[in-house]
Amino acid sequence: MSHQIPYRFEPDATAAVLAEKYGHLEDGSETGQRVTIAGRLMLRRVQGKLAFGTLQDGSGRIQLFAPSKVTPHFDDFTALSLGDWIGVSGEVMKTRRGELSVKVEEWTVLAETQRSFPDKFHGITDPDLRYRQRYVDLWVTPEARDKFVLRSNALSLMRRWLEDRDFIEVETPVFHPIPGGALARPFTTHHNALDSEFFLRIAPELYLKRLIVGGIERVFEIARVFRNEGISTRHNPEFTMLELYQAYADYGDMMELVEQLIEYLAIELTGSATITYDGRSLDLSAPWRRATLVELIAEHAGELVDLDTPVEELRTVCHRHDVPIKDSYGPGKLLLELYEKTVEPNLWDPIFVVDYPEEVSPLSRAHRDKPGYTERFEAIAAGRELCNAFSELYDPAEQRARFEDQVKAGEAGDEEAMAVDEDYLRALDYGLPPTGGLGIGVDRLVMLLADVQTIRDVVLFPTLKPEVFD
RNA sequence: GCCCCUGUAGCCAAGCGGUAAGGCAGUGGACUUUUAAUCCAAAGAUCGUGGGUUCGAAUCCCACCGGGGGUACCA
């Protein structure tokens, strides 16, 4: 059947609003209140001359009550397909069985579905279908929709929280002539008119610090970044990072900011600073424990090691704990590998792991009193990395030396090593004040707050192999 | 990249060497308070693709394609 589809429609109520306003009605009562709603027909129960439907809109579900004496074109109404969009006007009422309903006194088709909707009870279970046809998943899997609403709320709360602290939001380039700000393999692309190669950004870091140089003292970006790496439950090739930079601050200030922000988000989004993740309780209340990388290795692996430990001994310790290493690794990298394999997966309660070796932290400022270390930290919760932050390296000469070390690593075969960014060094020449910087993996944070185990449940359209239509 | 699992009608799903259950949706019919409505009827499947083994393959083997998980790599 083909219908005249209107160009616009004006609902004046939603399922949620009606439930809130009229939920308390007595069974079998009528209100005299006429409303107009719109949504998708999800269920239908026709009994001869009386029909019921379940309409779902963006807010929830409400029943439609359609007696043949009241509903125009009754036969057409009962012939609607599950999945059709309709607009309905009529009185708000409650049936004898106590179901809040809208009496169908007028109705209009707003879209006809050309494909049959998934099983009305089981929905979709095939993950491939859920990810590829998210437009269907969102209708038939209410939990899926809830996660994305939570994500949206998290972003919105984050923005407001930062703006309240005088951070301003900016947008910096996605096309980078030199990939930088992180250790990762980039995607490449080509601009025809400029006849130039570009890299899709792996981090906005170096541009945001240029803005600190430019006098924007508190700045943040919610940046889609792209890394040419494998896909897993924790990795999507394009993902979202919150990066922020605060002039005159150091990594200690960043720790306070992180624990306060995350605690705030947990309370606002879940009602409590103590959340449940993967069946376990996780208390995100500030303050969080602080411990150095070296302390944690002693605590979890029982090894007393440090940057002063002879390299051969560090290698032996790595072997003892089955940590795979390469010949090119210096003491700093060996310590980091040891930490990542023996400590990180065992950390559940939120913790700041502080003071990373300089060797593996090319953009962090040297520690004020520990030679060879930097003022850098990562926050870990539920065994996952939540953020990475540091007191920013301001010294152009030192930064150049770190870049050059990276270039050497690249020449030695490290495909993720950084290149020298001359313009960034020039910016540093003009003077970067003491600055605290922070990057939070937004997708992973949302996973934690939404209690989901795969990043695909918080990314609407996760990267998949392109579908072949034949 | 490697390892394991997986792919049966639009959706859910059984069958696991003997020639494709069942349910939902769709079609036709009955039914004025149902809510995964119910009842009756008919219909719908190159069992991911291509090879092979076998008298016989959805079932076993190989390759390929898609998906999931793990691992490696990785902010």
Side-chain angles (χ1 to χ4, degrees):
Chain A
M1 184 183 1
S2 151
H3 294 87
Q4 284 293 325
I5 305 295
Y7 280 84
R8 67 187 299 275
F9 193 76
E10 200 164 320
D12 58 22
T14 66
V17 164
L18 293 177
E20 206 210 316
K21 254 171 108 175
Y22 299 105
H24 60 277
L25 280 184
E26 282 185 31
D27 296 358
S29 61
E30 307 208 329
T31 60
Q33 290 295 313
R34 194 183 151 91
V35 298
T36 299
I37 52 176
R40 208 160 203 151
L41 186 67
M42 301 302 284
L43 298 170
R44 186 188 44 202
R45 301 171 287 282
V46 181
Q47 307 185 39
K49 296 196 168 99
L50 175 64
F52 298 89
T54 299
L55 189 78
Q56 180 171 320
D57 65 16
S59 73
R61 294 184 167 200
I62 184 141
Q63 176 163 273
L64 303 177
F65 179 84
S68 59
K69 281 185 184 164
V70 172
T71 301
H73 308 291
F74 181 77
D75 289 342
D76 291 341
F77 183 79
T78 62
L80 285 169
S81 294
L82 298 188
D84 282 347
W85 294 73
I86 53 174
V88 172
S89 295
E91 184 179 3
V92 181
M93 52 162 289
K94 214 166 209 183
T95 61
R96 285 179 216 160
R97 296 291 175 88
E99 186 74 23
L100 185 65
S101 308
V102 172
K103 199 185 285 183
V104 184
E105 294 163 6
E106 264 184 82
W107 64 280
T108 317
V109 172
L110 300 176
E112 284 176 281
T113 178
Q114 308 290 323
R115 295 172 185 261
S116 54
F117 244 50
D119 188 286
K120 66 189 179 188
F121 184 62
H122 298 96
I124 313 181
T125 58
D126 184 346
D128 187 38
L129 272 179
R130 292 192 47 219
Y131 302 144
R132 287 194 197 276
Q133 300 185 37
R134 189 68 92 182
Y135 35 86
V136 179
D137 183 42
L138 289 171
W139 279 103
V140 303
T141 316
E143 318 80 68
R145 185 200 192 94
D146 294 344
K147 305 300 180 195
F148 294 108
V149 172
L150 186 144
R151 180 180 179 127
S152 170
N153 291 338
L155 270 291
S156 163
L157 289 164
M158 224 179 255
R159 280 199 166 89
R160 228 176 302 150
W161 193 89
L162 289 169
E163 284 162 2
D164 286 347
R165 282 156 185 77
D166 298 323
F167 284 87
I168 70 164
E169 182 172 10
V170 296
E171 293 178 280
T172 61
V174 170
F175 295 151
H176 287 192
I178 298 170
L183 302 168
R185 289 162 67 180
F187 287 91
T188 58
T189 189
H190 183 263
H191 188 279
N192 290 341
L194 296 175
D195 189 23
S196 302
E197 293 301 320
F198 284 94
F199 301 90
L200 300 188
R201 66 178 171 193
I202 56 176
E205 171 152 353
L206 300 183
Y207 281 95
L208 293 173
K209 280 191 277 194
R210 285 171 168 95
L211 295 178
I212 297 283
V213 171
I216 302 178
E217 295 171 332
R218 295 186 175 205
V219 67
F220 75 99
E221 179 165 11
I222 294 174
R224 188 74 62 88
V225 299
F226 309 85
R227 298 190 182 176
N228 209 336
E229 293 161 358
I231 292 175
S232 77
T233 51
R234 272 160 241 111
H235 302 256
N236 196 60
E238 50 177 307
F239 63 101
T240 304
M241 296 237 319
L242 166 67
E243 283 205 5
L244 67 86
Y245 294 86
Q246 179 178 341
Y248 321 125
D250 68 2
Y251 77 149
D253 297 307
M254 291 298 104
M255 283 184 240
E256 285 175 27
L257 187 152
V258 169
E259 62 193 3
Q260 284 166 23
L261 172 60
I262 306 275
E263 178 189 43
Y264 168 76
L265 291 175
I267 291 171
E268 290 293 314
L269 294 169
T270 73
S272 165
T274 301
I275 64 168
T276 298
Y277 188 74
D278 200 13
R280 283 181 73 181
S281 175
L282 180 64
D283 183 2
L284 295 168
S285 310
W288 298 353
R289 185 185 168 200
R290 284 134 168 89
T292 68
L293 192 88
V294 164
E295 285 164 359
L296 289 168
I297 292 173
E299 186 176 317
H300 287 262
E303 300 288 354
L304 296 173
V305 288
D306 208 333
L307 284 179
D308 300 333
T309 308
V311 176
E312 278 318 309
E313 197 181 322
L314 284 175
R315 291 183 200 283
T316 308
V317 171
C318 284
H319 285 307
R320 196 181 305 152
H321 293 275
D322 294 320
V323 178
I325 54 172
K326 292 180 188 163
D327 291 343
S328 58
Y329 291 0
K333 179 73 171 165
L334 290 168
L335 281 183
L336 181 66
E337 290 296 314
L338 194 57
Y339 157 79
E340 283 184 351
K341 295 293 184 296
T342 64
V343 180
E344 196 171 285
N346 301 315
L347 297 174
W348 180 263
D349 293 319
I351 182 172
F352 291 115
V353 181
V354 307
D355 300 346
Y356 281 64
E358 192 176 297
E359 179 186 341
V360 293
S361 312
L363 302 168
S364 313
R365 183 169 174 181
H367 196 282
R368 61 196 73 186
D369 44 41
K370 288 184 191 171
Y373 290 96
T374 60
E375 296 202 352
R376 171 182 169 197
F377 72 86
E378 292 192 358
I380 310 292
R384 294 143 188 268
E385 199 181 298
L386 273 186
C387 73
N388 184 23
F390 28 90
S391 298
E392 301 296 336
L393 175 55
Y394 72 94
D395 179 348
E398 173 65 18
Q399 183 66 73
R400 180 178 294 279
R402 303 270 192 99
F403 276 151
E404 279 166 1
D405 286 345
Q406 285 290 312
V407 171
K408 276 180 209 149
E411 285 164 354
D414 183 350
E415 291 187 74
E416 286 151 1
M418 294 179 187
V420 179
D421 187 331
E422 290 291 348
D423 176 71
Y424 178 66
L425 293 170
R426 179 167 59 192
L428 292 185
D429 282 344
Y430 282 101
L432 178 76
T435 298
L438 167 68
I440 296 181
V442 170
D443 311 83
R444 289 180 182 180
L445 175 60
V446 173
M447 283 172 68
L448 195 70
L449 295 170
D451 190 17
V452 303
Q453 322 306 322
T454 169
I455 198 169
R456 294 185 185 89
D457 286 341
V458 296
V459 173
L460 280 165
F461 299 99
T463 306
L464 298 172
K465 198 136 187 164
E467 192 171 3
V468 177
F469 291 92
D470 45 18

